[in-house]
Amino acid sequence: MNYTLHQLKIFLEITRTRSITKASAELHLSQPAVSMQLKNFQEQFDFPLTEVIGRKIYITDFGKEIAIAAENILKETETISAKNAAYKGELIGRLTVAVVSTGKYVMPHFLSGFMRDHPSVTLSLDVTNKAAVIENLEKNEIDFALVSVLPEHLKIESIQLMENKLFLVGGREQTLENRHHSRDILKEIPLIYREAGSGTRHVMESFMKQYNLPVLKKMELTSNEAVKQAVIAGLGYSIMPIIGIKNELKNGDLEIIPVGGFPIRSNWQIIWMKGKKFSPAAASYLEYLKKERLKIIKDKFDWYDQY
C-alpha cells in the first residue's frame, strides 16, 4: 500500500458527492486530475471501490468501508497538525457548518470575526434546505447547523442566537388594502410556498394548521430568493422571514401586510449532536459564540427591532 493523504481526501470527497465533477469543483481540481488519482488509489486494492452504472458513479460496500477508514485517518492528521500549531499559539483545522436557506443572511455575521481572528482555520459553509441540513447533522458530516425549527428526532445541544420573525408580504402592485387584516385573509389570497423540507415551509404549514386555515397554494419554489422575486413580480403573496427582505422593504419592492397573529416568531439556533467530539477549531468556535453572540446581534442587527 502506497496511498497518499491527497488520494484519501479525493476519494472521500467522491464518496460524499457521488460525482467526479462535483468532487473536482469542491477540491478545486480538474476532472482528469481527480479521475487519475481515483484510478491510482483503486489500483492499490484487490476489490473495486466504485462502479459506474449508466453515467452515475456508485460506491461499493468495500469502498464505503475504505471511506470510513479514510475519514478517520484524515481526522487524525488534522489532530496532529492542530497539536503542532497549538504549541506555536495558532489555531488550525476545518470548521464545517450547514445553514438553512434563509440563514445565509444570519450566519456570516456570526462567523466573520472568528475567521478573521483565526486565518489558518478553513471554513466549509453549506447553504441548503432544512431537510438536507438535518441529514448532514445526523450523518455527523458537519460540526454545527443553523436552523429555526429544531429536529425532534435527534438528541442535540444548542445555542440560541436571535429571534426569527416571519411576516405576510406582497409586492409593489399587490391589491390588498393597507389596513389590519384578520387571519382569514389567508383563505382568500394566492400563497407562494417554499419546497417541502424547508424550515419556512414548515412554519407556514404549522401556522395554517394551528388556525385551521385552508391553503390556497399558488406555486412552490425552491429558494427564498425565487419566492422573493415571484412576490415582487406580483405572482402572489408569501410568508417570509424579515431577515431576508430588508433591502426590498426599504426600496418599496415588498410591503408587509398587517395580519392578526403576525409576526410568526421562532428562533435561530446553532445546534450540534449531543456528545459530539469537537475538533480544536470547532471547540474554539463554540466558545467564541458563547462570548460574542450578544455583541454581534447588537452590532449587526440593530435594525431588527423596528419590525
Side-chain angles (χ1 to χ4, degrees), residues 212-228:
N212 196 28
L213 297 168
V215 175
L216 183 57
K217 188 188 299 182
K218 179 71 173 179
M219 65 178 68
E220 183 177 299
L221 299 172
T222 57
S223 74
N224 192 65
E225 191 62 33
V227 171
K228 186 193 301 182

Side-chain angles (χ1 to χ4, degrees), residues 133-145:
V133 167
I134 298 306
E135 181 180 358
N136 290 337
L137 188 71
E138 191 169 11
K139 290 181 177 179
N140 199 33
E141 294 178 348
I142 55 175
D143 297 314
F144 303 103

